[in-house]
Amino acid sequence: MKTLTHFDKDGAARMVDVSGKDETAREAIAGARVTMTPATLRLIVGHKVAKGDVLGVARVAGIMAAKRTPELIPMSHPLNIAAVEIAFEPDRKPSCVNITATVRTTGRTGVEMEALVAAAAAGLTMYDMCKSVDRSMTVTDIRLLRKSGGKSGIYVRGNGKGPASTGKKKGPA
């Protein structure tokens, strides 16, 4: 079993010392889903929401959130983020928008938290912009989909039919 690294020998919370780690190219991809009524999805896709371009504003919110992750997650490291990409995939059948947040850096620690925070913030921004027409919206399924780089290598979330795959390959795939 792995040891939790955010606690010292006495059980006190601490920021992990990454000064001895090598700098490597790192990438994390996280996802989230915002479910809503079909009418709300039509408004978003048709750019008819009174507050403006929902997906455009949610994209900016996700990028800003990734950059500010250390202000929200106490033990995360301030990172020099190289890139943040936020993608949206509206899906009419379940009446939702799937969000994918990709974050890249070259550094001593990963960007999983930055990708997760970006996906969550994008979803919450969609809720905020559309709550006047649909308070039943739900932001759900915030999860790490993939990560690469660093000593632990590659992680890819499983398809729900088995465990996720991991590999010891270094660097982004």
Side-chain angles (χ1 to χ4, degrees):
M1 180 189 260
K2 288 191 170 200
T3 309
L4 296 175
T5 58
H6 285 82
F7 298 97
D8 67 15
K9 61 181 174 46
D10 299 320
R14 70 178 180 108
M15 180 183 255
V16 175
D17 182 355
V18 297
S19 61
K21 290 183 171 185
D22 291 333
E23 287 195 355
T24 63
R26 297 166 184 267
E27 179 181 78
I29 303 170
R33 176 173 295 123
V34 182
T35 58
M36 62 200 69
T37 65
T40 303
L41 183 60
R42 284 191 299 276
L43 288 172
I44 291 170
V45 171
H47 303 282
K48 304 269 191 223
V49 175
K51 287 188 177 182
D53 178 9
V54 173
L55 301 182
V57 174
R59 179 175 289 110
V60 172
I63 292 167
M64 290 175 65
K67 297 185 328 181
R68 300 189 74 147
T69 297
E71 295 174 31
L72 301 170
I73 308 298
M75 300 303 168
S76 65
H77 293 81
L79 300 176
N80 186 16
I81 294 174
V84 180
E85 298 166 10
I86 309 292
F88 301 100
E89 184 182 329
D91 191 342
R92 291 185 193 278
K93 188 169 183 177
S95 192
C96 69
V97 175
N98 294 303
I99 302 166
T100 305
T102 304
V103 181
R104 289 184 206 85
T105 193
T106 299
R108 299 177 194 279
T109 189
V111 287
E112 294 96 310
M113 293 311 303
E114 287 73 10
L116 288 161
V117 168
L124 291 169
T125 299
M126 290 177 63
Y127 182 94
D128 180 54
M129 292 190 71
C130 299
K131 68 184 179 228
S132 65
V133 295
D134 185 0
R135 292 203 188 271
S136 70
M137 290 183 305
T138 304
V139 181
T140 187
D141 294 334
I142 300 166
R143 68 225 179 268
L144 180 66
L145 301 172
R146 185 178 194 287
K147 73 77 112 184
S148 62
K151 188 169 70 172
S152 64
I154 298 170
Y155 165 86
V156 178
R157 178 171 288 283
N159 61 6
K161 297 179 181 165
S165 64
T166 58
K168 293 297 180 182
K169 297 176 185 173
K170 289 191 177 184

